[in-house]
């Protein structure tokens, strides 16, 4: 089972429970660290980066999500403030459903609850796997863990056909590596046959 997204709920169902579209400009925040969780968010159009910064101001990217993917819903169940930021990388249309409406939808459509449990469990599994990789001092192991994690969010189960749509700098921010190390390691992975580099695209 692929993670794909937790969740990808039919837009018409979201609207029927009171969801609304909200347009965001590039670089505009959907929410920031320590904001209270008030909505279920799903991307109608555009791209969203989940990140935070350490005490030295260095960015760490947790994920970059696109159309039909959701984010931040775990905080609705925990009644906790967000530990991350959600920043639009493109002009975006985000569907947002108020928290109480979201829970009413889940109560009325129990199949969504089961699907969400499965998605969240799979997401936790892949995040734990990625954390194991990030603990490695081996840059190749770190990158492979990240690529496996990113591929788990999409429905393309193929060999070297999944496009990693991140820049080298974004990959560096995701793995805690220097961008020069990322570039050097990707070239080594290409030589070993685990990825394909084509027109600066990374295919995994």
């Amino acid at each position: 089972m692929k993670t794909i997204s937790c969740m990808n709920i039919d837009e018409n169902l979201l609207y029927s429970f009171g969801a609304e579209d909200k347009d965001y400009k590039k670089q505009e925040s959907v929410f920031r660290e320590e904001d209270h969780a008030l909505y279920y968010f799903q991307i109608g159009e555009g791209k969203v980066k989940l990140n935070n910064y350490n005490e030295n101001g260095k960015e760490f990217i947790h994920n970059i999500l696109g159309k039909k993917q959701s984010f931040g819903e775990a905080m609705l169940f925990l009644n906790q403030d967000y530990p991350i930021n959600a920043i639009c990388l493109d002009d975006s249309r985000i569907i947002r459903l108020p928290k109480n409406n979201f829970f009413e939808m889940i109560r009325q459509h129990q199949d969504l609850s089961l699907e969400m449990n499965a998605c969240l469990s799979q997401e936790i599994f892949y995040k734990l796997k990625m954390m194991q990789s990030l603990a490695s001092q081996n840059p190749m192991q770190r990158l492979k863990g990240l690529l496996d994690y990113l591929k788990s969010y999409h429905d393309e189960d193929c060999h070297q056909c999944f496009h990693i749509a991140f820049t080298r700098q974004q990959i560096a921010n995701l793995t805690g590596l220097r961008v020069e190390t990322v570039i050097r390691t990707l070239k080594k992975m290409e030589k070993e046959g685990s990825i394909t580099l084509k027109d600066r695209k990374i295919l995994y």
Side-chain angles (χ1 to χ4, degrees):
M1 176 182 175
K2 293 288 185 182
T3 305
I4 302 175
S5 166
C6 295
M7 292 274 292
N8 174 20
I9 300 173
D10 181 80
E11 292 186 8
N12 290 325
L13 180 61
L14 292 172
Y15 294 136
S16 72
F17 278 87
E20 62 179 4
D21 287 345
K22 185 170 174 57
D23 294 326
Y24 294 86
K25 296 295 185 182
K26 183 177 179 179
Q27 298 304 324
E28 188 176 356
S29 63
V30 180
F31 58 74
R32 292 198 173 275
E33 192 173 350
E34 297 185 357
D35 284 351
H36 195 58
L38 299 175
Y39 296 95
Y40 166 85
F41 295 102
Q42 187 166 298
I43 303 171
E45 300 288 343
K47 193 177 293 185
V48 172
K49 170 176 68 175
L50 305 180
N51 76 343
N52 57 15
Y53 298 88
N54 66 17
E55 62 275 11
N56 298 318
K58 183 178 179 180
E59 181 184 32
F60 183 82
I61 297 176
H62 296 270
N63 210 336
I64 295 177
L65 302 172
K67 185 175 180 179
K68 295 185 178 181
Q69 294 186 298
S70 63
F71 54 95
E73 58 268 30
M75 297 304 104
L76 296 176
F77 292 95
L78 295 174
N79 196 31
Q80 294 284 340
D81 296 339
Y82 294 113
I84 56 176
N85 308 297
I87 310 295
C88 292
L89 292 177
D90 300 319
D91 289 349
S92 301
R93 174 177 62 88
I94 308 295
I95 304 167
R96 65 180 196 178
L97 179 66
K99 178 179 178 178
N100 290 340
N101 302 47
F102 172 75
F103 284 127
E104 181 60 30
M105 180 182 66
I106 294 296
R107 279 191 287 270
Q108 292 189 30
H109 297 271
Q110 294 187 10
D111 57 321
L112 290 178
S113 182
L114 291 172
E115 185 178 348
M116 181 162 287
N117 285 337
C119 279
L120 289 173
S121 297
Q122 190 75 355
E123 184 176 9
I124 290 169
F125 171 78
Y126 274 102
K127 280 188 175 179
L128 289 173
K129 294 287 285 184
M130 190 176 77
M131 286 174 62
Q132 291 174 355
S133 298
L134 292 180
S136 172
Q137 297 300 310
N138 184 334
M140 190 177 296
Q141 187 64 33
R142 286 196 188 191
L143 288 183
K144 187 177 185 308
L146 170 66
L147 300 185
D148 286 340
Y149 173 63
L150 296 175
K151 194 170 182 177
S152 80
Y153 270 80
H154 297 266
D155 206 15
E156 299 180 44
D157 191 11
C158 58
H159 179 63
Q160 293 187 19
C161 71
F162 173 63
H163 176 210
I164 305 296
F166 293 172
T167 66
R168 273 56 170 176
Q169 184 62 61
Q170 288 169 337
I171 291 173
N173 290 344
L174 277 157
T175 56
L177 297 169
R178 293 169 50 124
V179 67
E180 296 84 0
T181 304
V182 169
I183 293 170
R184 185 168 59 250
T185 304
L186 288 173
K187 289 179 179 178
K188 186 175 181 181
M189 292 174 72
E190 181 186 33
K191 287 181 180 179
E192 294 185 357
S194 56
I195 64 170
T196 297
L197 300 178
K198 184 178 181 181
D199 300 326
R200 290 193 55 79
K201 292 181 179 179
I202 304 169
L203 302 175
Y204 183 59

